[in-house]
Amino acid sequence: MARREAEARYSRQLYVLGDGAQWLARAKVLVSGLRGTGAHVAAMLVLAGTGRVVLHDGGTACTADLAQQFLLRESDIGQNRAEVSRWALAELNPQVAVVTYTGELSEDFLASFEVVVLTESLLEEQLRIGDFCHAHGICFIVADAKGLAGQLFCDLGKRFITDNPEEKDLALAAVQHISQGNPGVVTCVGTEYSYDHDFCDGDLVTFSGVEGMTELNGCDPVPVRVLDGSRLEIGDTSSFSPYHRGGLVSQVRLSQAYSYEPLRQALREPKIPVANPGELPRSRSLHVAFQALHAFRRERGHLPRPRAPADAERVLELARSLGTQQGPLDEDLVRAFASVSAGDLCPVAAVIGALAAQEVLKAITGRFLPLDQWFYFDALECLALEGAAQLTEEDCAPRGSRYDGQIAVFGAAFQERLASQKYLVVGAGAIGCELLKNFAMMGLAAGPDGDLTVTDMDTVALSNLHRQLLYRFSDISMLKSVVAAAAVRRMNPDVRVTAHQNQVGPATELLYGDHFFRSLDGVLSAVDTLEARTYLESRCFRCRTPLLDSGTEGPRGNVLVTVPFLTKPPEPASAPADGTFPLCTLRYFPLNIQHTLQWACDEFEGLFQVPAEHVNLFMEDPAFLERLPARKALEILKQLRENLQERPQDWQDCVRWARRHWQRRYHDDIAQLLHIFPPEHETSPGVPFWSGDKNCPHPLTFEPDNDTHMAYVVAAAHLFALAHKVPPCSDWDAAQTLLHSMVLPPFAPLEGLQIPLTEEQEEAQASTDHRQLAELTQDLMKWRQDLVGDKEVRLPLMEPIHFDKDNNLHVDFITAASNLRAENYSIPPADWLMTKRISGRIVPAIITTTAAVAGLACLEVYKLVWGCQDRSCYRNSDVFPSGFLLLRFQPPPPHTYRYGGQEWSCWDQLEMRAVGADGQEMTVQEVLDWLQRTYSWTVTMLLWGHTLLYDREEDEETRTRQLAQRLSEILKDAGVPWQRELELTYVCEGEDAEAQEASPRLICSLP
């Protein structure tokens, strides 16, 4: 695969794994055991682009596998699991070699792998293979899921090196001043959207580009002490040369070495990292419970029968007899674990498989902090659900069904309840795909009364394929929801899934109205925008529909549970930083690569999109200029003149235009700036102008043999040709030959030109030459007339080009334009991939986090289906696989308040059937009477949204008219289509302003 094609496919993942990702394509990994957990591990490694994945399983597929092994179909039953899984895995990513092996795991066979993963394996095999791998430097991972619990073990060898153990990006700041002293103090500004730096005490830093105090450039990393948001202390600088200007201070991270014990020793002396000390006893008890389970299986030849008290007690006896427990043994935990250990749940397999696959990626790439060495997970709180504890062995006995593994945990009656659920999944991206896969395995909506709706407006793109399980290369450009629904049906033909292609928002409330939301058993939000998430939260809150919200950012993820009346509704999220910068900074004083990238994006829009839109609009309707302010009209007219004067006839004209524009931007504009503010210019005596947050630039000289110079010209010429509907040409050699022969006039500075140093100065300088405006309008109208009369001219005259982060040509231009600008100002450049990320505002993503988050969300679905009304059973989750941290905690309770002499929950609302005594819909007077009669409240003001329906302070005539108005007339007057329900707000006599804001909503149902 070509490099650019690989970057396009894996870009989101590359932003997570960094430079270590280069090792993935060369890695060879063995995955042994192809039931639920193993299938998840293998699929994620294939999607991630691991070079060679070898599948090992000596067993045959059975009906019960279909509840968690999503690679199988009913027609595969009776065949070797590894063999039938290989075809589905190979289809996921043709660039990965997926092969099978069904023989013995001999030492000769194992010796060829970098990583060995065992799932569903016996302890004796784990110990044998673990000893061999440890002795031969092979990374060894054990992953196991049993019922509602999972286990993970990592042995990455005697000396494992991680190059970048932390998730956070390296901090970088622009130096403004460095004092001579002991310690020296560095004054700096951040390079992101805040002027504060991001350094922490103890961070190691290096310096580059410093003028004056050059002793710091290229020095060994030194620790810093943070004084405040703009100052750092470093070592002794008293003997260094005085600081002059410029420079960057950059954080560095040194490689870290970790030493692992082999499994045999780690069993006796387990190292179990936990989020807080209170979790350690539970993990230690599970450590013993898994060993006891192995002993039981060795003794009986099978796992404990579901809900069989005698078998659970025997596991507990074996746990007591092991004598390896560190601290007291939680006997109730061991019994609960054993009673459902024969169960197979896809969500648990997804969580354990995802975390195991993440450890494989760490082992290969050396990125992030690896697990040291044990991890235990359980969702045994599910057994505390009302009625679950009373399930019997008969309730959970096998039925010969594909859901037997799930029935073993929750019983047959629960499976029937799952099949009749009605759920909405909003978003069929990465998380949406994982949720839908899990639902297919679980049998959600697989009965006659079930209904699973998935909606997404987007189509499949190449960059989706490394983390969106349900899509293949052949699906590119097809609607995600349609492809995803078809994939669900293939996995489980019984699931009643419907694909929609609609955005769930204000514009589709006729389709997804209150009645629709209230008919649902739950909603799963898998959207990727703050606006969409906020809207879903508000709709589910209004309709009292359970909501599970899942999200990821890079290697981090979270699940938020919202259950009506039980949990606190989500609070409105604050909007993230918009990433905008002052115009003067972008135009004249960039400090960092973010500034030059934003400048390049503005340049793209100003060259290839906006002018074309204005030319086309002018050709269609020249009168549009009359509707604009004079200053704006003059600006557009100048732009129109320039574009019409430079209309190319062929691609050579486009190359010449690109070369002239290069000269203007990277030489002449900079030379003009330095003519006005020379390098030695002083703001006041002794205070240099080019200091602090102003880097002194230097003009560039064009060189046809310089790759960056040529990349700019070729990309700009290509885009210019497309915008002007001229056949483009990307012939680098031909363009280079043409450029060698081009001679441009020497730069001549403009005298008297003033450059505004602030936005206020720029605004003050702005003026409109009305005479020039009139002349330009006249000239361009004549030009337009000539063009309209030319039979060879086809309208629209130009083709606006909108920046697309997935278009390589667009990213090529932004990369070259930004890096040339960065070279002007001695700013370190950004590579093509970083340029794509920042300019496209791409959120890093990786399949392992996505799968873990979806698995955790589906565990909460079990509780919703059960109808759980005990808040202590639900769990919000935060996932940090990069540092191997999983936090699960109870959602907070809903807040309460007092209003009208009563206590209310934030979920409470007043519901009124708005039918008066005459059988007609109520008037405003009747609404007020109802509130008075029902709650003894005297209303002083009534509103529908921002529309005032009644105000006691109005004059008598106005009040009489307001009180007589019927509710439907409100909609008619507002020009709003008829609605079944109106949500009204009110102000009551005797309530203060703060209480009025928290009054219960009034829902009026119209007849």
Side-chain angles (χ1 to χ4, degrees):
M1 184 186 288
R3 179 182 173 186
R4 284 289 170 83
E5 200 175 332
E7 288 176 341
R9 184 182 188 113
Y10 300 113
S11 60
R12 277 70 170 170
Q13 175 179 285
L14 291 172
Y15 300 135
V16 177
L17 297 178
D19 293 339
Q22 63 183 309
W23 305 110
L24 268 177
R26 310 172 198 175
K28 186 177 180 183
V29 180
L30 169 68
V31 179
S32 178
L34 265 296
R35 297 189 73 240
T37 304
H40 279 88
V41 173
M44 284 178 246
L45 295 180
V46 170
L47 286 169
T50 308
R52 186 177 181 86
V53 178
V54 179
L55 313 176
H56 172 261
D57 195 315
T60 57
C62 63
T63 301
D65 288 336
L66 299 176
Q68 59 168 339
Q69 221 286 27
F70 54 91
L71 301 170
L72 302 179
R73 304 293 177 265
E74 290 184 7
S75 59
D76 297 327
I77 293 172
Q79 301 181 61
N80 177 268
R81 283 194 203 95
E83 294 288 353
V84 293
S85 298
R86 184 180 89 79
W87 299 106
L89 288 170
E91 190 182 30
L92 281 178
N93 191 344
Q95 303 303 319
V96 174
V98 182
V99 297
T100 59
Y101 177 77
T102 57
E104 179 188 353
L105 296 179
S106 65
E107 294 184 354
D108 287 344
F109 175 73
L110 294 169
S112 62
F113 294 98
E114 283 84 19
V115 186
V116 170
V117 183
L118 299 187
T119 70
E120 305 287 341
S121 55
L122 299 175
L123 181 58
E124 293 74 20
E125 184 177 56
Q126 294 174 10
L127 291 168
R128 177 181 67 83
I129 295 177
D131 288 343
F132 175 81
C133 289
H134 187 81
H136 291 81
I138 299 169
C139 296
F140 176 64
I141 296 171
V142 175
D144 206 357
K146 290 289 184 284
L148 283 163
Q151 174 193 60
L152 189 59
F153 170 77
C154 287
D155 171 11
L156 303 189
K158 300 172 185 177
R159 182 175 171 79
F160 178 77
I161 305 295
T162 177
D163 296 322
N164 194 349
E166 295 185 37
E167 172 192 332
K168 193 172 68 170
D169 290 338
L170 294 171
L172 181 71
V175 177
Q176 293 184 307
H177 184 263
I178 306 174
S179 68
Q180 289 176 293
N182 187 13
V185 175
V186 179
T187 305
C188 56
V189 292
T191 60
E192 293 291 340
Y193 306 124
S194 165
Y195 271 84
D196 287 348
H197 64 71
D198 293 322
F199 295 103
C200 298
D201 284 341
D203 283 349
L204 297 175
V205 302
T206 59
F207 292 84
S208 61
V210 175
E211 296 183 30
M213 197 177 285
T214 56
E215 294 89 342
L216 284 174
N217 292 330
C219 68
D220 292 336
V222 296
V224 300
R225 177 173 172 266
V226 176
L227 297 179
D228 54 36
S230 61
R231 295 182 304 148
L232 308 168
E233 275 188 358
I234 57 174
D236 185 359
T237 60
S238 57
S239 63
F240 292 173
S241 306
Y243 173 80
H244 181 43
R245 67 179 170 217
L248 290 172
V249 52
S250 310
Q251 183 187 5
V252 295
R253 294 194 187 113
L254 303 181
S255 298
Q256 295 183 19
Y258 298 87
S259 179
Y260 289 80
E261 302 296 340
L263 175 62
R264 195 175 299 274
Q265 182 176 339
L267 274 174
R268 297 190 300 269
E269 303 169 4
K271 291 188 286 184
I272 310 175
V274 291
N276 63 73
E279 297 176 2
L280 189 55
R282 188 177 187 89
S283 291
R284 285 174 171 171
S285 292
L286 285 171
H287 182 73
V288 174
F290 268 91
Q291 292 181 67
L293 193 66
H294 281 292
F296 182 95
R297 191 171 188 174
R298 205 161 44 239
E299 176 183 282
R300 303 285 181 88
H302 60 79
L303 291 170
R305 291 164 297 170
R307 305 286 179 161
D311 286 3
E313 286 300 323
R314 180 55 185 157
V315 173
L316 178 57
E317 291 171 6
L318 292 167
R320 292 175 184 142
S321 68
L322 288 173
T324 58
Q325 173 70 12
Q326 297 176 329
L329 182 67
D330 187 336
E331 296 190 353
D332 289 338
L333 178 71
V334 176
R335 286 192 191 94
F337 164 73
S339 70
V340 295
S341 58
D344 292 316
L345 300 177
C346 183
V348 177
V351 173
I352 297 301
L355 297 178
Q358 182 66 52
E359 294 308 297
V360 175
L361 297 180
K362 292 178 187 178
I364 295 170
T365 65
R367 184 78 163 97
F368 301 134
L369 186 68
L371 172 62
D372 185 25
Q373 289 188 260
W374 291 96
F375 171 76
Y376 287 93
F377 168 84
D378 79 89
L380 291 168
E381 74 275 358
C382 291
L383 299 184
L385 301 172
E386 186 179 354
Q390 285 72 46
L391 290 172
T392 66
E393 188 174 350
E394 183 180 353
D395 295 328
C396 300
R399 266 69 171 168
S401 159
R402 68 183 291 156
Y403 307 116
D404 277 353
Q406 201 159 251
I407 290 171
V409 178
F410 296 112
F414 177 80
Q415 191 61 49
E416 294 178 6
R417 191 182 301 180
L418 259 176
S420 64
Q421 295 293 296
K422 295 177 175 60
Y423 267 74
L424 169 68
V425 177
V426 185
I431 294 177
C433 283
E434 291 294 320
L435 290 170
L436 292 168
K437 174 260 295 177
N438 291 346
F439 286 164
M441 298 296 97
M442 293 160 60
L444 186 92
D449 298 324
D451 183 69
L452 176 59
T453 301
V454 55
T455 185
D456 196 309
M457 301 172 62
D458 204 1
T459 56
V460 179
L462 178 62
S463 61
N464 301 149
L465 301 184
H466 80 277
R467 70 193 189 284
Q468 299 185 14
L469 178 75
L470 303 183
Y471 309 131
R472 308 292 181 265
F473 188 84
S474 58
D475 298 324
I476 290 176
S477 298
M478 297 179 68
L479 288 164
K480 284 185 175 180
S481 61
V482 174
V483 177
V488 168
R489 294 187 198 99
R490 288 194 298 271
M491 289 180 177
N492 188 343
D494 293 332
V495 175
R496 295 174 176 264
V497 59
T498 305
H500 290 187
Q501 297 82 50
N502 307 307
Q503 182 182 28
V504 180
T508 56
E509 286 188 0
L510 289 179
L511 180 62
Y512 305 115
D514 290 351
H515 178 73
F516 173 83
F517 272 91
R518 287 178 183 146
S519 70
L520 298 171
D521 294 300
V523 174
L524 286 105
S525 170
V527 297
D528 56 4
T529 68
L530 181 63
E531 294 79 12
R533 180 172 286 113
T534 301
Y535 178 81
L536 271 179
E537 290 169 353
S538 67
R539 292 295 286 158
C540 289
F541 176 68
R542 172 188 168 97
C543 298
R544 298 169 172 175
T545 305
L547 171 68
L548 293 172
D549 183 32
S550 307
T552 66
E553 182 176 357
R556 292 167 289 167
N558 70 282
V559 177
L560 183 65
V561 184
T562 304
V563 185
F565 301 103
L566 274 189
T567 68
K568 182 181 179 181
E571 295 182 353
S574 57
D578 62 4
T580 58
F581 304 101
L583 286 176
C584 291
T585 298
L586 297 180
R587 290 179 181 176
Y588 309 114
F589 312 119
L591 285 171
N592 52 59
I593 200 66
Q594 283 83 1
H595 293 159
T596 66
L597 281 167
Q598 183 60 58
W599 178 89
C601 289
D602 293 345
E603 183 85 342
F604 185 101
E605 183 179 297
L607 290 175
F608 311 119
Q609 177 192 329
V610 174
E613 291 171 343
H614 286 157
V615 166
N616 292 343
L617 189 56
F618 178 73
M619 296 298 295
E620 180 183 343
D621 176 25
F624 88 95
L625 291 166
E626 299 172 6
R627 299 188 288 271
L628 298 175
R631 177 183 166 193
K632 183 65 177 177
L634 181 59
E635 177 187 329
I636 292 175
L637 283 168
K638 290 178 180 179
Q639 188 184 78
L640 289 170
R641 179 180 61 183
E642 184 175 340
N643 273 271
L644 292 173
Q645 285 177 339
E646 293 183 330
R647 282 189 69 213
Q649 300 301 311
D650 51 35
W651 74 267
Q652 289 94 338
D653 283 349
C654 297
V655 171
R656 295 185 187 98
W657 169 86
R659 171 65 182 90
R660 291 194 300 271
H661 196 75
W662 188 104
Q663 189 72 12
R664 174 183 170 187
R665 284 291 184 246
Y666 303 110
H667 182 276
D668 294 358
D669 287 354
I670 301 298
Q672 180 67 46
L673 180 62
L674 291 175
H675 176 74
I676 298 171
F677 301 114
E680 65 279 1
H681 183 73
E682 292 184 343
T683 305
S684 58
V687 180
F689 176 84
W690 294 108
S691 63
D693 57 1
K694 295 184 179 70
N695 282 340
C696 185
H698 62 276
L700 305 182
T701 301
F702 185 80
E703 299 174 8
D705 297 323
N706 183 297
D707 287 347
T708 305
H709 297 189
M710 279 300 300
Y712 176 90
V713 169
V714 170
H718 196 137
L719 289 164
F720 193 69
L722 293 174
H724 284 273
K725 299 185 176 182
V726 170
C729 177
S730 298
D731 189 330
W732 186 290
D733 293 336
Q736 204 168 34
T737 301
L738 177 61
L739 292 169
H740 274 293
S741 63
M742 277 191 71
V743 178
L744 298 181
F747 168 73
L750 298 175
E751 301 297 339
L753 183 67
Q754 292 185 343
I755 291 180
L757 300 181
T758 65
E759 292 188 48
E760 291 76 13
Q761 290 181 10
E762 184 171 10
E763 190 69 26
Q765 288 182 15
S767 61
T768 303
D769 185 334
H770 291 277
R771 180 178 178 181
Q772 185 184 21
L773 177 63
E775 291 176 352
L776 267 176
T777 303
Q778 184 177 355
D779 291 346
L780 286 169
M781 287 298 293
K782 183 178 182 304
W783 208 322
R784 175 183 177 275
Q785 189 175 359
D786 293 342
L787 285 171
V788 170
D790 189 340
K791 295 182 180 180
E792 294 184 5
V793 173
R794 294 184 178 181
L795 300 179
L797 200 62
M798 295 183 68
E799 185 67 42
I801 302 174
H802 296 260
F803 175 70
D804 178 0
K805 65 181 183 299
D806 292 319
N807 186 306
N808 288 351
L809 174 63
H810 297 189
V811 180
D812 286 346
F813 174 83
I814 299 292
T815 304
S818 171
N819 285 343
L820 288 166
R821 178 80 166 171
E823 187 179 351
N824 279 139
Y825 285 86
S826 302
I827 296 169
D831 62 21
W832 191 87
L833 204 59
M834 179 186 288
T835 297
K836 180 175 179 175
R837 173 186 172 183
I838 297 175
S839 60
R841 301 192 177 189
I842 295 173
V843 178
I846 192 166
I847 179 61
T848 49
T849 304
T850 299
V853 162
L856 292 166
C858 288
L859 286 171
E860 302 310 304
V861 170
Y862 284 136
K863 302 165 189 177
L864 292 174
V865 173
W866 198 277
C868 176
Q869 290 299 305
D870 182 352
R871 184 173 58 86
S872 67
C873 290
Y874 288 97
R875 297 289 184 270
N876 288 343
S877 300
D878 288 328
V879 188
F880 304 89
S882 56
F884 219 95
L885 188 63
L886 172 58
L887 303 176
R888 301 180 74 227
F889 47 94
Q890 292 181 27
H895 66 267
T896 59
Y897 59 94
R898 292 194 64 81
Y899 189 85
Q902 300 181 43
E903 184 162 306
W904 303 87
S905 161
C906 61
W907 286 98
D908 287 331
Q909 60 189 31
L910 312 182
E911 297 179 357
M912 179 186 72
R913 188 166 180 267
V915 179
D918 58 357
Q920 301 296 313
E921 69 183 62
M922 285 185 175
T923 63
V924 170
Q925 177 69 68
E926 288 174 308
V927 173
L928 302 187
D929 292 344
W930 183 86
L931 287 168
Q932 175 68 50
R933 184 172 62 250
T934 308
Y935 297 99
S936 301
W937 293 344
T938 300
V939 175
T940 60
M941 188 178 291
L942 185 69
L943 302 100
W944 173 60
H946 296 291
T947 302
L948 180 66
L949 307 184
Y950 169 74
D951 185 355
R952 194 170 66 176
E953 299 300 317
E954 293 285 357
D955 59 70
E956 184 176 350
E957 181 182 348
T958 302
R959 290 201 312 272
T960 301
R961 187 182 69 254
Q962 290 174 337
L963 292 170
Q965 191 175 29
R966 294 194 182 273
L967 295 182
S968 63
E969 294 173 9
I970 302 165
L971 299 173
K972 185 177 179 181
D973 292 345
V976 175
W978 183 85
Q979 297 178 10
R980 185 184 299 272
E981 293 181 347
L982 293 181
E983 181 177 329
L984 306 183
T985 55
Y986 48 89
V987 176
C988 290
E989 190 177 71
E991 297 293 337
D992 59 33
E994 183 178 350
Q996 289 157 10
E997 293 174 3
S999 59
R1001 298 170 297 154
L1002 173 59
I1003 306 298
C1004 299
S1005 300
L1006 302 183

